[in-house]
Amino acid sequence: MAAVGTMAAMGPLPAMGALPPLPTLGVPGVPELKPLTRYEAMRLGPGWSHSCHAMLYAPNPGMLFGRIPLRYAVLMQMRFDGLLGFPGGFVDRRYWSLEDGLNRVLGLGLGCVRLTEADYLCSHLTEGPHRVVAHFYARQLTLEELHTIEISAVHSRDHGMEVMGMVRVPLYTQKDRMGGLPNFLANSFVGTAKFQLLFALKILNMVPEEKLAEAVAATQRPKKGALDHTGGAAGHHHKAGNELARAGNELGERAEHPGMLHGGAEQHLVGLEGEAEALEQQVGLGDEQGEGME
């Protein structure tokens, strides 16, 4: 099922009447990019470069930990430079249409998917000194089809070279307000990839706009609570370690005088050892804490 191109004005502009305003992202903390129609983008002069990228996604009925809805599986890539991005690249408009150029790049990185004009979603002018218009496509697949692409990507020419691997975007937010989408958005993205991800999630009604805003806001808050919790546990652990050392010294001194060693000191030492071990385990917890969807 192809995504409907909400910003695609395919034919010539209407002779009379104004076009409706193009949709914007509208998420605080994320700079807006200037939208333009496909028709406007194709009329840009030769001084402009065109990049085409695609989001492949599928409805996912799975439940994380048996209780957190996954909703959708959305594919992105870990690139050679350590940045996250979508499959795609620059298209030389002298030789290729947007879709032909995009499919050529996708064939190198994914190996088994072809997009059409019906999958076109939006175009935006990028910020910065370079004159680049970023075109974005979205194709809805079945979960089985998406999994086939993930497997095919491992055997593509670019795997392990320009593409380190495919990743799925977590679209949920856990109870700690950071796990899931907020933590994912805290990563580094190439170019317009982060904007395009948020824009597609909003336009395709995959994540409510308020949830996107909350996820972005969470990435901009200092992680004070988590640091305080870890620091407190570490401080308690340090205190227990000092008490353990003192008890060890006391036990060593009493060992030098056989008549002074008694069971109470040994029990005290064992108790402190148990406390320190428990604290070590406590500091290491957190893998599944805060699970849940708000």
Side-chain angles (χ1 to χ4, degrees):
M1 175 181 176
V4 177
T6 58
M7 296 176 61
M10 299 302 180
L13 290 174
M16 297 181 62
L19 289 173
L22 296 175
T24 58
L25 178 58
V27 172
V30 181
E32 286 284 353
L33 298 181
K34 178 178 174 55
L36 68 167
T37 67
R38 180 188 176 97
Y39 175 84
E40 292 170 332
M42 293 299 95
R43 295 189 64 186
L44 293 174
W48 287 85
S49 298
H50 296 259
S51 69
C52 295
H53 293 84
M55 184 180 84
L56 305 177
Y57 68 100
N60 188 351
M63 301 285 284
L64 179 64
F65 305 128
R67 60 181 178 275
I68 304 177
L70 296 178
R71 299 180 178 178
Y72 291 91
V74 177
L75 291 188
M76 293 192 75
Q77 294 177 331
M78 176 59 71
R79 292 160 37 99
F80 65 93
D81 51 11
L83 301 176
L84 289 166
F86 287 103
F90 281 94
V91 173
D92 192 334
R93 289 280 296 134
R94 295 175 299 173
Y95 308 109
W96 307 93
S97 68
L98 293 179
E99 291 74 33
D100 286 342
L102 174 60
N103 286 324
R104 181 174 178 271
V105 179
L106 293 182
L108 300 177
L110 301 180
C112 62
V113 61
R114 288 191 62 83
L115 302 187
T116 69
E117 194 172 291
D119 300 308
Y120 171 83
L121 187 66
C122 60
S123 297
H124 289 88
L125 298 180
T126 64
E127 296 179 333
H130 305 292
R131 305 177 76 188
V132 177
V133 54
H135 306 280
F136 198 54
Y137 294 73
R139 165 76 67 86
Q140 179 175 316
L141 306 168
T142 67
L143 196 57
E144 292 74 18
E145 289 171 334
L146 198 77
H147 185 53
T148 298
I149 289 175
E150 289 175 310
I151 295 173
S152 175
V154 176
H155 302 286
S156 69
R157 193 199 74 171
D158 283 349
H159 181 74
M161 300 292 289
E162 294 187 22
V163 179
M164 296 294 103
M166 307 299 295
V167 296
R168 293 190 182 188
V169 182
L171 301 184
Y172 50 83
T173 298
Q174 294 178 270
K175 288 183 178 178
D176 64 358
R177 298 183 182 275
M178 283 302 300
L181 183 59
N183 274 335
F184 187 84
L185 294 177
N187 287 298
S188 296
F189 294 77
V190 64
T192 59
K194 183 176 181 179
F195 177 92
Q196 290 171 328
L197 171 63
L198 294 170
F199 186 86
L201 294 179
K202 173 187 173 180
I203 295 300
L204 298 176
N205 297 316
M206 298 169 68
V207 177
E209 184 176 349
E210 62 272 15
K211 292 298 182 183
L212 292 178
E214 291 173 5
V216 170
T219 66
Q220 299 170 345
R221 290 195 297 265
K223 300 179 182 179
K224 187 175 183 299
L227 292 174
D228 287 349
H229 175 74
T230 303
H236 188 38
H237 191 179
H238 181 68
K239 179 180 179 181
N242 290 338
E243 293 181 1
L244 181 61
R246 285 197 299 271
N249 291 335
E250 180 182 351
L251 188 60
E253 292 175 359
R254 294 190 179 190
E256 295 177 358
H257 304 84
M260 297 179 60
L261 185 60
H262 55 80
E266 292 178 344
Q267 293 174 0
H268 182 55
L269 177 60
V270 171
L272 287 172
E273 288 175 339
E275 181 182 353
E277 182 177 349
L279 282 168
E280 289 177 356
Q281 295 175 353
Q282 179 180 348
V283 172
L285 288 177
D287 291 344
E288 293 187 2
Q289 288 182 350
E291 299 164 3
M293 183 72 187
E294 293 193 338

